[in-house]
């Protein structure tokens, strides 16, 4: 738990209350002090005779819930959190009346969860941060969904949860029992690629990079040879941010050129998992960055710029080369073409320093689990609610009308899907599938009638953009879609990675281990300070060796052991 300044006593009291209540729960399992099970206001309600994934309760049952808001929700006139297209569908189609006890956005969500646990006032169905999910499951506060999942989970839900081979689903099991449904997230989208201003390449008669030496040559030209032809030396060679985390101005793609990684955990051929920052190539990668900084290819103020600030430099036309993710057409690259419609952005795969294939790191963070309080009479109702989202949004047989009603409203632009409880997307497969389908239609290998309705939306926008001359200034949304899923898009690069087995998927994505919780922050600070000092020349490259030794002594070896134990216990059985 992170404590805010000035709130120490209050936070300590909360922690004490949480421990007391969990102790009581573990002993007596009277989870909310209620004599009768909740989740059913009618004593005559029974499970439907032909019960299944979307069978309706008669009469209806009622469930209380919590919700983690985005903070920018909009509603149609007359609608609100407890009365919208999704809550009405739950009631009308499933016989489940969902009433939200509370809904909070941002940091306040975790605080509210903590208070609900401490006051023993949990709703019937919950969206729980990972740490709280495991704590409550071990304390007997959550319903065991193991007996219900196979019977009630729809085929579409099972497909969604197994899009990554079931790895994220396996993390939901506690002591062999399933207490919740993970809010799955895709890792493909976390892979770095290289983003380049193609118009700058053309201005300087340069080609797209095929090696790391090519990247450095381009960086030198972008810094010194006036790529935007404005007569002023006002462009940086390559954009980097201050943080080692992947994002706009990432280091991970650069490190991968040396087969090392800033934050990923790499599983070797021997089955052992090691920290990517300790790979042999990292020292060479830092030495090369040091050379680039000394040659004025990197902004001298990079150490105070996060990814948002780097994005502002991209939008302002100061950066034309950087490592980043697939979403740039929606972010700073989009702002760049709005500011200058003549700007031409391309994305290309990361490159290697030595001829061996460079593999971009991917990672996924298990942040949320959907769960049911232990005394709810019909715990399978949670699975039915999640099934309904799958049926309306992710079902291969869904329709455009269904997506407009339950997804993004084409008239108001409101994303109704944000109202749903337990919304899950097969992020691992969905954009990949859409890329393949859309481009098959563009190439004449498929008809638009045979692709997913949501892909049709993207296709129509992309096709319209292409047919009308690809004018970014007149149709920036068309450019977004084209660069995201079209013939020259970021997902084309990800498809290249997938087809050639080039992903280095981080082997660890669970909760912080015991030693991570105790010493992780110290080790992260040690790594970031050492790397930045080496990069800027304020420390010798040899300090990397001291970093490795200190990292291991200060808890890194123990963390490595714990990561391997977690992986083996989670996936090897």
């Amino acid at each position: 738990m992170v404590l805010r300044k000035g709130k120490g006593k209050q936070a300590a009291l909360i922690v004490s209350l949480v421990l007391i209540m969990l102790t009581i729960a573990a002993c007596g399992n009277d989870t909310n002090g209620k004599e009768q099970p909740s989740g059913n206001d009618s004593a005559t309600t029974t499970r439907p005779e032909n019960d299944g994934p979307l069978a309706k309760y008669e009469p209806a049952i009622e469930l209380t819930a919590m919700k983690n808001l985005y903070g920018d929700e909009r509603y149609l006139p007359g609608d609100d959190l407890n009365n919208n297209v999704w809550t009405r569908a739950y009631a009308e189609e499933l016989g489940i009346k969902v009433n939200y006890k509370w809904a909070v956005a941002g940091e306040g969500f975790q605080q509210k969860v903590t208070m609900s646990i401490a006051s023993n006032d949990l709703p019937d169905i919950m969206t729980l941060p990972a740490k709280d999910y495991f704590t409550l499951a071990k304390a007997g506060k959550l319903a065991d969904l193991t007996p219900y999942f196979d019977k009630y989970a729809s085929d579409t839900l099972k497909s969604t949860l197994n899009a990554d081979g079931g790895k994220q689903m396996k993390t939901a099991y506690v002591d062999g029992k399933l207490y919740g449904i993970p809010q799955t997230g895709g890792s493909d989208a976390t892979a770095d690629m290289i983003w380049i201003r193609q118009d700058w390449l053309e201005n300087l008669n340069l080609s797209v990079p095929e090696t790391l030496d090519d990247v450095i040559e381009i960086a030198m030209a972008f810094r010194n040879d006036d790529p935007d032809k404005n007569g002023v030396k006002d462009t940086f060679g390559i954009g980097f941010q201050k943080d080692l985390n992947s994002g706009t101005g990432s280091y991970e793609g650069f490190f991968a050129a040396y087969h090392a990684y800033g934050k990923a955990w790499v599983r070797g051929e021997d089955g052992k998992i090691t920290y990517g920052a300790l790979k042999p190539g990292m020292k060479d990668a830092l030495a090369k960055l040091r050379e680039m900084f000394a040659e004025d290819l990197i902004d001298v103020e990079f150490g105070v710029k996060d990814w948002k600030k780097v994005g502002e430099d991209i939008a302002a036309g100061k950066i034309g080369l950087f490592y980043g993710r697939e979403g740039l057409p929606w972010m700073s690259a989009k702002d760049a073409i709005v500011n200058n419609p003549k700007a031409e952005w391309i994305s290309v795969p990361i490159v290697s320093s030595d001829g061996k294939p460079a593999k971009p790191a991917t990672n996924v963070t298990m942040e949320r689990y959907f769960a049911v309080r232990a005394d709810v009479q019909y715990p399978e109702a949670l699975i039915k609610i999640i099934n309904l989202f799958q049926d309306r949004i992710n079902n291969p047989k869904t329709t455009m009308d269904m997506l407009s009603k339950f997804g993004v409203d084409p008239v108001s632009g409101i994303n109704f899907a944000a109202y749903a409880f337990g919304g899950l997307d097969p992020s691992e497969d969905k954009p990949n599938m859409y890329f393949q389908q859309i481009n098959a239609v563009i190439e004449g290998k498929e008809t638009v009638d045979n692709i997913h309705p949501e892909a049709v939306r993207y296709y129509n926008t992309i096709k319209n953009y292409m047919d009308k001359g690809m004018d970014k200034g007149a149709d920036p949304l068309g450019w977004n879609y084209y660069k995201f899923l079209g013939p020259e898009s970021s997902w084309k690069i990800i498809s290249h990675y997938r087809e050639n087995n080039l992903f280095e998927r981080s082997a660890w994505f669970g909760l912080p281990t015991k030693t991570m919780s105790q010493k992780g922050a110290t080790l992260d600070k040690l790594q970031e300070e050492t790397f930045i000092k080496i990069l800027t020349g304020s420390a010798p490259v040899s300090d990397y060796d001291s970093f490795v030794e200190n990292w291991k002594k200060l808890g890194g070896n123990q963390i490595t052991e714990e990561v391997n134990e977690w992986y083996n216990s989670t996936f090897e059985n």
Side-chain angles (χ1 to χ4, degrees):
M1 179 183 295
V2 178
L3 306 182
R4 290 189 171 190
K5 291 182 179 179
K7 299 291 185 180
K9 292 182 179 179
Q10 180 181 352
L13 176 60
I14 293 173
V15 173
S16 298
L17 286 169
V18 171
L19 294 174
I20 292 169
M21 296 313 301
L22 292 182
T23 301
I24 294 172
C27 295
N29 200 32
D30 182 13
T31 57
N32 272 275
K34 298 179 180 180
E35 296 180 359
Q36 298 296 328
S38 64
N40 177 18
D41 278 355
S42 173
T44 61
T45 298
T46 59
R47 290 186 173 91
E49 183 176 347
N50 296 317
D51 205 4
L54 294 174
K56 184 177 182 179
Y57 296 102
E58 294 284 2
I61 63 173
E62 293 192 14
L63 295 174
T64 57
M66 62 166 73
K67 191 160 182 66
N68 185 13
L69 299 174
Y70 291 103
D72 58 356
E73 283 78 5
R74 293 187 295 137
Y75 297 94
L76 293 176
D79 280 8
D80 55 37
L81 183 62
N82 282 305
N83 178 32
N84 57 67
V85 63
W86 284 101
T87 57
R88 291 190 290 269
Y90 299 148
E92 295 166 6
E93 300 185 41
L94 299 178
I96 302 173
K97 298 178 182 178
V98 175
N99 295 307
Y100 289 98
K101 293 183 69 171
W102 56 264
V104 181
E107 294 181 0
F109 177 75
Q110 176 64 75
Q111 296 169 3
K112 186 67 175 178
V113 171
T114 301
M115 290 299 297
S116 296
I117 295 172
S119 60
N120 207 28
D121 188 27
L122 295 169
D124 298 326
I125 56 176
M126 297 166 274
T127 304
L128 291 171
K131 187 174 183 179
D132 297 304
Y133 167 74
F134 287 102
T135 300
L136 291 171
K138 287 180 177 294
K141 300 274 280 185
L142 303 181
D144 178 8
L145 299 180
T146 313
Y148 304 100
F149 183 78
D150 284 341
K151 178 178 180 178
Y152 289 99
S154 67
D155 290 342
T156 307
L157 174 57
K158 290 176 181 177
S159 176
T160 292
L161 293 172
N162 283 286
D164 66 344
K167 287 185 177 181
Q168 295 175 63
M169 183 63 179
K170 288 181 180 179
T171 69
Y173 285 84
V174 180
D175 297 329
K177 295 182 179 180
L178 181 68
Y179 290 95
I181 306 299
Q183 189 171 31
T184 51
S187 63
D188 286 10
T190 65
D192 270 4
M193 57 193 68
I194 303 173
W195 287 89
I196 314 176
R197 282 282 296 267
Q198 185 177 26
D199 53 317
W200 288 11
L201 290 177
E202 293 171 355
N203 286 344
L204 301 177
N205 196 29
L206 296 169
S207 301
V208 297
E210 296 183 0
T211 67
L212 187 65
D213 286 341
D214 293 339
V215 170
I216 295 171
E217 179 185 353
I218 292 169
M220 293 182 69
F222 281 8
R223 176 57 177 155
N224 300 313
D225 298 341
D226 192 22
D228 57 0
K229 299 302 179 183
N230 68 350
V232 181
K233 188 177 181 179
D234 59 353
T235 53
F236 303 119
I238 184 168
F240 285 113
Q241 57 166 300
K242 66 182 180 69
D243 301 313
L244 293 180
N245 295 323
S246 180
T248 306
S250 168
Y251 295 91
E252 284 289 34
F254 188 92
F255 291 153
Y258 293 87
H259 319 294
Y261 304 95
K263 293 295 182 181
W265 288 83
V266 181
R267 190 167 186 252
E269 294 182 0
D270 60 358
K272 294 181 180 179
I273 299 170
T274 56
Y275 190 42
L278 274 57
K279 290 292 182 181
M282 182 58 78
K283 187 174 182 179
D284 291 335
L286 293 172
K288 182 59 67 174
L289 285 170
R290 178 191 181 93
E291 290 178 15
M292 295 169 67
F293 185 81
E295 292 174 352
D296 195 31
L297 305 186
I298 301 172
D299 180 9
V300 294
E301 296 182 350
F302 85 94
V304 296
K305 291 185 175 181
D306 59 13
W307 67 270
K308 292 182 180 179
K309 289 294 183 181
V310 173
E312 291 174 5
D313 286 338
I314 293 167
K318 294 181 179 181
I319 294 175
L321 172 67
F322 63 95
Y323 290 87
R325 296 182 178 180
E326 42 78 70
L328 268 297
W330 302 100
M331 301 163 64
S332 47
K334 173 187 175 182
D335 295 335
I337 67 111
V338 170
N339 293 337
N340 176 16
K342 294 182 180 180
E344 295 285 352
W345 284 98
I346 60 171
S347 53
V348 300
I350 63 171
V351 293
S352 174
S353 65
D354 59 9
K356 298 178 183 178
K359 296 185 175 184
T362 68
N363 61 81
V364 64
T365 303
M366 302 307 300
E367 295 182 347
R368 302 274 189 271
Y369 292 83
F370 302 111
V372 187
R373 204 180 61 243
D375 66 342
V376 170
Q377 187 170 351
Y378 300 106
E380 77 279 359
L382 168 69
I383 300 174
K384 292 186 178 185
I385 288 171
I386 298 175
N387 284 339
L388 192 64
F389 183 91
Q390 299 303 310
D391 183 73
R392 298 298 185 265
I393 302 297
N394 292 324
N395 191 328
K397 296 181 180 179
T398 193
T399 65
M400 190 70 75
D401 288 343
M402 196 72 75
L403 289 173
S404 297
K405 179 178 180 180
F406 290 95
V408 177
D409 178 19
V411 177
S412 67
I414 295 175
N415 182 14
F416 296 138
Y419 304 163
F421 186 92
L424 298 173
D425 270 337
S427 303
E428 210 60 78
D429 286 346
K430 204 170 186 179
N432 280 297
M433 178 181 72
Y434 289 175
F435 168 77
Q436 300 295 341
Q437 291 181 346
I438 288 166
N439 287 277
V441 175
I442 290 173
E443 295 168 6
K445 299 176 181 178
E446 185 58 271
T447 64
V448 72
D449 294 335
N450 291 331
I451 67 175
H452 193 280
E454 191 173 16
V456 173
R457 280 185 170 178
Y458 287 113
Y459 167 78
N460 288 337
T461 305
I462 291 169
K463 188 67 165 58
N464 182 69
Y465 173 72
M466 295 172 66
D467 290 346
K468 293 187 176 180
M470 301 174 69
D471 186 341
K472 299 187 294 296
D475 187 9
L477 180 62
W479 180 87
N480 295 157
Y481 283 18
Y482 182 82
K483 286 295 181 180
F484 186 61
L485 287 170
E488 300 175 355
S489 64
S490 55
W491 277 91
K492 180 180 181 180
I493 306 304
I494 292 177
S495 178
H496 164 77
Y497 291 152
R498 286 179 69 96
E499 291 173 359
N500 292 280
N501 194 29
L502 291 175
F503 286 128
E504 186 64 71
R505 300 194 184 279
S506 184
W508 175 80
F509 51 88
L511 277 177
T513 68
K514 179 180 179 181
T515 309
M516 277 184 188
S517 298
Q518 296 170 345
K519 301 179 179 180
T522 299
L523 294 177
D524 286 344
K525 184 178 180 181
L526 172 67
Q527 180 181 347
E528 291 180 5
E529 289 182 349
T530 303
F531 283 20
I532 294 302
K533 286 179 179 179
I534 292 173
L535 192 160
T536 57
S538 60
V541 177
S542 59
D543 270 18
Y544 172 76
D545 299 323
S546 300
F547 154 73
V548 172
E549 184 178 348
N550 289 329
W551 187 90
K552 291 179 178 180
K553 289 180 179 179
L554 295 174
N557 278 343
Q558 182 62 35
I559 289 173
T560 301
E561 184 177 328
E562 292 168 357
V563 166
N564 279 274
E565 289 175 354
W566 170 83
Y567 186 93
N568 292 334
S569 64
T570 303
F571 300 114
E572 291 303 307
N573 296 324

